[in-house]
Amino acid sequence: PFGKITVLKTLAISKLTYLFVNLPDPDDTFLQELDCMFFKFLWNGKQSKISKKHMCQSYERGGLKMLNVYVFLSCMKLSWLRRMFSSSDSTLKDFVLCLYPDLHKLHLLGGEFTNILMNTIHNPFWHDVLKYFKRLNGKCVPNDIHDFNAEFIFYNSNITVGHHTLYFKSWLNAGIFQVCHLLNDDGNYLPFDEFCGKYFVLKVNFLQYRGVIDAIRQYQNKLQVETMAGYKLQTVKIWKIINEGNNSVQRLFTDMDLLPVGIQKWNNTFIDLNWKQIFHKCHKVTGDCQLKWLQFRIIHRILPTNRYLFLRKIVDSPICSICQSGEETIVHLLWHCQHVAIFWNDLGELLKSKCTHFVNFHFQEVLVLFGAQVNVYTDSAFDMIVLFAKYYIYKCKWTNSKPKVHIFMKMLKNRYKLERLNSIRLDKIKRFDLCWKPYEALIV
């Protein structure tokens, strides 16, 4: 999947761009077929072992940045709003606003205003743009008081009076459309007399103003953000994200709070796992897709051990292929198996004898399984050794042989030579030699 995702990103994006330009309103059937085709290619036509949503997450969240056709289409359509309102060339903006003059109010009114625009604009392309804009707006929840003060007052589904959104044309014409326009320098809401003095052109009664303030305060209490003096005036969050580019829009559309199932199960077994560090090392230790894919399957608990294969009626027994005594789970195969335990002990003793900085070192279960452990610092060369050792153990499983340190060291030295040649090709030999210098006695 690592290599396949790279192929999809490099080849499919250009094709998708061409299709979406020539099909301004692709139907759901077309998108479903396209999405299904990508994931069938990713999993060799078999059932997905990790959910699509989690596969599309960033590396730091346990995903593989898989291409999501729905999110890709959303980003492509929303990029037109950035071109309209942020580009130095005003030709496009003038042309579009000439056709649809109310579109300029997207910068001044909340997400519910898109419903009105969608009912009046029947062009399928701009109808789609507004549809995705509304969807993005639903995900743009203020994170702090600065985001909250930038919120739109009118047509905001979170600021209502009598279950209806607000809209006062006279306020909008007077330049009042954000929460910050109703605040003083201390970050507090303007008293009614100060509001009338600041916006003296308006004819506002006390009850109307009081109703708006109470509605805003209810939303503020719901978000649990407090007022503060010297708050920063900034762009509304949705427009800040759109202006940052497609990557920011994509992150917001694919952001998920729920961890993958495999990660949740590991958390039930081990405590204080630093998943950010674990995910980072999974992708940064080596460029070898085979090794990264091994570690990725360990993290997500989809490595095909005998227990895994037995539950799916692929093998006849869940017993470990190496020791022939215990049930072969991921933890057993890589740590608890008696022959594997001897291997890790022998490798640790070899490191102590060859490398001076391993005097008090002992392999631990969490470090072996995940490549990272809280309060344990490891360098990139050691991470590579541990990852390659797990690859060697996994090969021993399929050959029904016992892992031996002297055999592993021969394989490691060959791998070291290949990695060094690759670093020369990439002009990174100085950095590579510096990383492996503490292990010269081990690999020479």
Side-chain angles (χ1 to χ4, degrees):
F2 281 87
K4 290 182 176 181
I5 287 177
T6 303
V7 172
L8 285 173
K9 286 183 177 179
T10 54
L11 297 179
I13 289 179
S14 61
K15 299 296 183 182
L16 284 171
T17 304
Y18 174 80
L19 286 172
F20 291 150
V21 169
N22 290 275
L23 294 173
D25 188 22
D27 57 22
D28 290 338
T29 303
F30 170 78
L31 294 177
Q32 289 173 4
E33 290 178 355
L34 200 60
D35 188 58
C36 183
M37 180 180 67
F38 284 164
F39 277 89
K40 278 186 177 181
F41 171 73
L42 184 66
W43 295 105
N44 293 326
K46 300 177 182 178
Q47 183 179 1
S48 300
K49 298 177 178 63
I50 302 173
S51 70
K52 294 179 181 180
K53 292 182 179 180
H54 287 117
M55 285 293 289
C56 296
Q57 293 291 306
S58 63
Y59 296 145
E60 294 77 14
R61 298 180 68 86
L64 288 181
K65 294 185 178 179
M66 173 59 185
L67 188 68
N68 185 319
V69 294
Y70 299 98
V71 173
F72 182 84
L73 174 60
S74 305
C75 295
M76 291 289 290
K77 294 293 179 69
L78 288 172
S79 65
W80 283 90
L81 293 177
R82 184 173 66 255
R83 295 173 190 175
M84 269 188 57
F85 294 104
S86 301
S87 176
S88 57
D89 184 9
S90 62
T91 305
L92 174 64
K93 180 178 180 180
D94 295 339
F95 176 74
V96 175
L97 292 183
C98 181
L99 295 174
Y100 312 111
D102 286 341
L103 269 178
H104 81 280
K105 293 183 180 178
L106 279 177
H107 258 125
L108 309 174
L109 302 174
E112 291 300 311
F113 181 65
T114 56
N115 292 331
I116 298 175
L117 291 177
M118 290 168 68
N119 291 330
T120 58
I121 297 176
H122 302 293
N123 180 286
F125 177 85
W126 287 105
H127 192 277
D128 267 8
V129 172
L130 294 171
K131 178 179 69 175
Y132 293 121
F133 179 82
K134 182 180 179 182
R135 190 176 300 173
L136 182 68
N137 188 77
K139 293 181 173 291
C140 292
V141 180
N143 295 326
D144 51 36
I145 189 60
H146 306 295
D147 286 341
F148 177 78
N149 289 342
E151 281 280 279
F152 291 131
I153 300 173
F154 305 126
Y155 288 108
N156 188 333
S157 59
N158 297 300
I159 301 176
T160 59
V161 174
H163 304 289
H164 296 286
T165 57
L166 305 174
Y167 178 65
F168 306 133
K169 186 176 180 179
S170 58
W171 287 34
L172 183 63
N173 293 335
I176 305 172
F177 54 88
Q178 290 178 273
V179 173
C180 60
H181 297 152
L182 303 179
L183 303 176
N184 57 24
D185 294 336
D186 296 327
N188 297 315
Y189 296 104
L190 292 168
F192 180 67
D193 55 344
E194 290 187 22
F195 173 80
C196 293
K198 184 175 183 180
Y199 303 103
F200 58 90
V201 295
L202 292 178
K203 294 182 179 179
V204 183
N205 62 65
F206 175 78
L207 293 179
Q208 182 188 53
Y209 179 72
R210 189 76 251 171
V212 173
I213 297 299
D214 289 343
I216 295 174
R217 278 179 173 161
Q218 287 180 8
Y219 183 34
Q220 183 178 358
N221 294 334
K222 181 180 178 181
L223 295 174
Q224 296 181 346
V225 293
E226 298 181 358
T227 58
M228 64 178 294
Y231 59 85
K232 295 184 295 184
L233 292 175
Q234 60 186 34
T235 310
V236 181
K237 186 174 182 179
I238 185 170
W239 286 104
K240 182 168 63 173
I241 291 173
I242 291 175
N243 293 334
E244 286 174 354
N246 288 352
N247 287 336
S248 297
V249 175
Q250 182 176 349
R251 280 195 297 269
L252 193 62
F253 270 124
T254 57
D255 186 35
M256 294 179 61
D257 295 329
L258 185 64
L259 289 172
V261 176
I263 309 304
Q264 296 179 46
K265 289 183 178 179
W266 282 127
N267 285 336
N268 293 332
T269 306
F270 301 99
I271 59 174
D272 296 331
L273 293 176
N274 187 343
W275 286 111
K276 184 176 181 180
Q277 184 183 21
I278 292 170
F279 293 142
H280 175 79
K281 289 198 172 186
C282 176
H283 297 277
K284 296 299 181 181
V285 171
T286 178
D288 190 328
C289 291
Q290 192 175 29
L291 295 180
K292 288 197 289 187
W293 179 231
L294 172 71
Q295 184 61 28
F296 188 81
R297 287 183 291 175
I298 293 171
I299 291 174
H300 286 275
R301 299 175 67 101
I302 59 173
L303 191 70
T305 59
N306 282 350
R307 182 180 183 276
Y308 180 91
L309 298 173
F310 177 74
L311 292 174
R312 282 150 184 79
K313 301 181 180 180
I314 299 175
V315 298
D316 298 328
S317 173
I319 300 302
C320 176
S321 302
I322 299 176
C323 66
Q324 301 292 329
S325 60
E327 190 177 54
E328 188 182 277
T329 60
I330 294 177
V331 177
H332 175 88
L333 176 65
L334 298 178
W335 182 255
H336 290 304
C337 173
Q338 56 184 347
H339 299 296
V340 173
I342 294 172
F343 168 80
W344 287 117
N345 183 68
D346 292 344
L347 181 58
E349 293 299 322
L350 182 63
L351 287 169
K352 289 179 183 179
S353 63
K354 298 288 185 178
C355 307
T356 56
H357 60 294
F358 277 90
V359 176
N360 299 317
F361 175 77
H362 295 282
F363 280 107
Q364 299 182 45
E365 184 177 6
V366 172
L367 182 62
V368 167
L369 288 174
F370 305 106
Q373 186 174 349
V374 177
N375 298 326
V376 176
Y377 171 78
T378 59
D379 54 44
S380 58
F382 175 79
D383 294 334
M384 177 63 186
I385 293 172
V386 174
L387 180 56
F388 195 67
K390 287 186 284 189
Y391 172 73
Y392 168 65
I393 293 171
Y394 192 62
K395 286 190 67 175
C396 291
K397 160 191 161 47
W398 293 108
T399 57
N400 295 324
S401 58
K402 299 175 183 177
K404 300 294 183 181
V405 169
H406 68 277
I407 299 176
F408 167 70
M409 288 309 302
K410 291 180 181 179
M411 295 177 61
L412 179 63
K413 290 176 182 178
N414 290 332
R415 172 52 68 110
Y416 167 79
K417 293 177 182 178
L418 291 174
E419 294 279 347
R420 194 171 190 278
L421 288 173
N422 189 48
S423 66
I424 293 174
R425 183 179 65 86
L426 298 174
D427 196 23
K428 297 180 179 179
I429 185 61
K430 291 184 179 179
R431 180 179 178 184
F432 179 86
D433 287 341
L434 183 63
C435 291
W436 283 89
K437 188 173 180 59
Y439 302 89
E440 282 182 338
L442 182 70
I443 56 180
V444 174

